[in-house]
Amino acid sequence: MAENGAAQANIGVVGLAVMGSNLARNLASREGNTVAVYNRSPERTRLLVGEHPEANFVDSETIEEFAASLQKPRTAIIMVQAGTGTDAVISQLTALFEPGDIIVDGGNADFQDTIRREKAVRATGVNFVGAGISGGEEGALKGPSIMPGGSVEAYETLGPILESIAAVVDGVPCVTHVGTDGAGHFVKMIHNGIEYADMQLIAEAYDLLRKVGGHSPAAIADVFTDWNAGDLESYLIEITAEVLRQVDATTGLPFVDVVLDEAGSKGTGVWTVQNALDLGVPVGGIAEAVFARAVSSHPEQRVPLRAAQGARPEIAVVGHTFQDDVRQALYASKVVAYAQGFDAIIAGAQKYGWKIDKGAIATIWRGGCIIRAQFLNRIVDAYANDPSIPTLLVDPYFAKAVADGESAWRRVVSTAALSGIPVPGFASALSYFDSLASERLPAALVQGQRDFFGAHTYKRVDMPGTFHTLWSGDRSEIETEGSSH
Ligand code: 6PG
């Protein structure tokens, strides 16, 4: 531990719960860093410093001491629970910091809060950076994926520090300046939405292999380990195998059978869907994952419905290709979920005026974060080939992957439906794909209905203009001024 006193730390961390402590230790482990650490209750600071005498920490008991221990421009990363606690720390630091100093919020903040905070802090001359940090506790310690927003000027100072602690894939650190103000937290929010979709799809694959395939959790763990050697290679597939292999010490049963089947959430998946709705971007895969957790958490509806319904459908008989069908359905559904997530990034960037490099986002998600996967390299390639591709689903690689897996995907969804096994993720992804692929959609009928009851007007396929049919009159058509939307 370094001596306290004069400004000697080049970076500081405020908030020393698990994520903050691990990030501080990660920073301290990198050559050249001296890390100022501060927590509201000083016991936690003492504990961290006491447990890690090897780390180059400068500990402070007050926020004033903390600010004084930082070299200029002062750079402090706040790692407190998102919400009002963050606002309190920001106002304390803003009062002590000087123009040019940098406050980083490394929590899972709502990007709208980040936009607001950035504006308020910038007015004082201090830089404010909202940075999404993904990778959980281990990532924070060993190398997360980092998604900073804020000004270009702030990134000049901050970038090298963040690059020194981020995960590295193929020599490239998993951090990039995402865009101004809330861009980093927006992209982290979408990351979490995709994370929800990915987890739900994997869970559906497991459920099918168990209930239709008749395999044990341990056998399915082996299947996932196998899949992890191919196109599906990812952190979430890897940990799924580990969770499925776990045996409960108390009962000797598979761990997955003793855990209550009601999934919780902290809200970032919900934010993704709320924002996608506002942006008008269909993110059905993410929404179904959020809803699936919600459905699971309503035993007061599940239990009586089960009782009212009696026997469940018989499980459909499947052939020996079923396991591989599930793998292909999982891959195709995953492509859809990522395509939808990137559509939301594109729409958010447009609405909030951010210049977001989609390829750079896929690049920094290849390591450190929860959705890290082999697959992200294909997304990097897709955007390198055509930065304005209308959907990832038309990229030649993904188009072929989906076409190759399409019949398997359909077999899996129909088998699930016949067997009474819920696959909201697989089914909604397939319907989304079919919607984009259909030459005509029944949206024409919806337009007719809207025009009938509300004179909302419509456009025609064969001539320009906006029209209305006089439904309650002689049902002739008139051209109108309005828009048909
Ligand atoms: C990460 C994770 C992390 C966390 C979220 C989601 O990127 O490291 O996304 O942010 O796990 O809090 O958790 P919930 O499932 O509880 O919403």
Side-chain angles (χ1 to χ4, degrees):
M1 178 179 48
E3 284 294 300
N4 205 344
Q8 50 193 313
N10 60 318
I11 180 89
V13 177
V14 178
L16 302 175
V18 185
M19 287 293 286
S21 295
N22 283 1
L23 200 76
R25 286 174 57 200
N26 184 353
L27 283 160
S29 73
R30 311 292 163 156
E31 183 79 34
N33 281 345
T34 301
V35 185
V37 285
Y38 168 76
N39 194 73
R40 196 162 50 136
S41 51
E43 297 76 35
R44 211 185 262 275
T45 315
R46 288 183 214 130
L47 190 71
L48 172 69
V49 172
E51 279 178 350
H52 297 283
E54 79 290 353
N56 220 359
F57 287 141
V58 182
D59 56 316
S60 298
E61 301 255 320
T62 67
I63 194 121
E64 289 78 11
E65 266 178 49
F66 169 79
S69 71
L70 286 164
Q71 293 162 2
K72 293 180 191 173
R74 300 182 186 89
T75 307
I77 306 180
I78 304 175
M79 296 296 293
V80 302
Q81 193 152 26
T84 48
T86 310
D87 280 314
V89 178
I90 292 170
S91 68
Q92 284 178 314
L93 288 177
T94 313
L96 296 164
F97 277 20
E98 290 164 6
D101 290 348
I102 304 166
I103 299 173
V104 183
D105 175 11
N108 260 340
D110 180 334
F111 77 95
Q112 300 275 13
D113 285 341
T114 304
I115 293 177
R116 167 181 62 77
R117 289 167 179 154
E118 198 273 341
K119 202 166 163 219
V121 175
R122 185 162 27 96
T124 70
V126 174
N127 292 293
F128 183 78
V129 174
I133 301 182
S134 177
E137 296 169 18
E138 190 175 305
L141 182 63
K142 297 185 179 156
S145 172
I146 312 176
M147 294 147 254
S151 69
V152 174
E153 182 209 352
Y155 194 73
E156 274 166 21
T157 306
L158 194 61
I161 300 173
L162 297 183
E163 282 169 19
S164 76
I165 58 164
V168 177
V169 176
D170 299 338
V172 183
C174 295
V175 54
T176 190
H177 181 224
V178 175
T180 52
D181 56 55
H185 276 141
F186 180 86
V187 165
K188 173 61 173 42
M189 175 188 77
I190 303 293
H191 164 281
N192 281 26
I194 294 175
E195 169 187 308
Y196 273 53
D198 226 339
M199 291 165 72
Q200 173 65 22
L201 294 171
I202 292 171
E204 290 177 16
Y206 150 76
D207 209 27
L208 287 161
L209 293 179
R210 183 120 191 230
K211 293 178 183 155
V212 180
H215 302 294
S216 68
I220 300 169
D222 292 342
V223 172
F224 278 109
T225 299
D226 240 33
W227 290 356
N228 203 36
D231 282 348
L232 281 166
E233 190 270 310
S234 64
Y235 172 72
L236 284 170
I237 294 277
E238 182 192 323
I239 64 160
T240 300
E242 295 206 27
V243 173
L244 289 174
R245 228 169 253 134
Q246 179 77 4
V247 172
D248 175 51
T250 313
T251 57
L253 292 169
F255 166 83
V256 76
D257 287 348
V258 298
V259 175
L260 193 65
D261 59 344
E262 295 173 22
S265 74
K266 292 202 198 70
T268 46
V270 175
W271 293 349
T272 309
V273 179
Q274 284 169 335
N275 281 286
L277 287 173
D278 287 343
L279 293 165
V281 180
V283 291
I286 299 169
E288 289 299 346
V290 171
F291 293 146
R293 292 193 193 187
V295 169
S296 78
S297 302
H298 284 288
E300 78 287 359
Q301 294 181 317
R302 292 171 58 192
V303 173
L305 184 96
R306 220 157 46 228
Q309 285 295 310
R312 301 287 301 136
E314 261 179 46
I315 297 293
V317 176
V318 290
H320 66 282
T321 62
F322 184 67
Q323 187 171 303
D324 200 57
D325 281 358
V326 173
R327 181 186 62 78
Q328 296 192 59
L330 175 56
Y331 193 74
S333 304
K334 182 175 161 121
V335 174
V336 166
Y338 280 67
Q340 292 176 341
F342 273 91
D343 285 348
I345 291 179
I346 293 162
Q350 204 166 10
K351 175 162 178 188
Y352 296 101
W354 299 316
K355 283 203 185 84
I356 298 185
D357 177 343
K358 282 101 59 188
I361 301 305
T363 302
I364 65 163
W365 284 352
R366 294 181 309 161
C369 63
I370 304 296
I371 64 169
R372 61 186 182 259
Q374 184 64 30
F375 175 81
L376 267 314
N377 279 309
R378 305 279 81 80
I379 299 183
V380 175
D381 294 345
Y383 284 120
N385 289 339
D386 180 0
S388 52
I389 195 162
T391 162
L392 283 173
L393 291 165
V394 298
D395 165 75
Y397 171 85
F398 289 122
K400 182 172 184 315
V402 171
D404 289 349
E406 194 180 327
S407 353
W409 199 6
R410 296 190 190 287
R411 280 194 295 275
V412 167
V413 171
S414 49
T415 299
L418 290 170
S419 309
I421 293 169
V423 284
F426 281 10
S428 109
L430 182 57
S431 280
Y432 174 82
F433 172 75
D434 283 333
S435 295
L436 288 188
S438 294
E439 199 176 328
R440 292 276 297 161
L441 289 171
L445 176 58
V446 172
Q447 286 295 76
Q449 293 162 335
R450 293 176 70 231
D451 190 56
F452 190 104
F453 63 67
H456 293 299
T457 74
Y458 53 88
K459 290 191 189 295
R460 296 181 53 103
V461 295
D462 52 357
M463 62 180 95
T466 301
F467 301 90
H468 168 58
T469 290
L470 301 168
W471 296 103
S472 44
D474 64 359
R475 303 212 162 178
S476 61
E477 183 177 74
I478 56 166
E479 194 163 356
T480 70
E481 298 272 295
S483 98
S484 70
H485 289 94

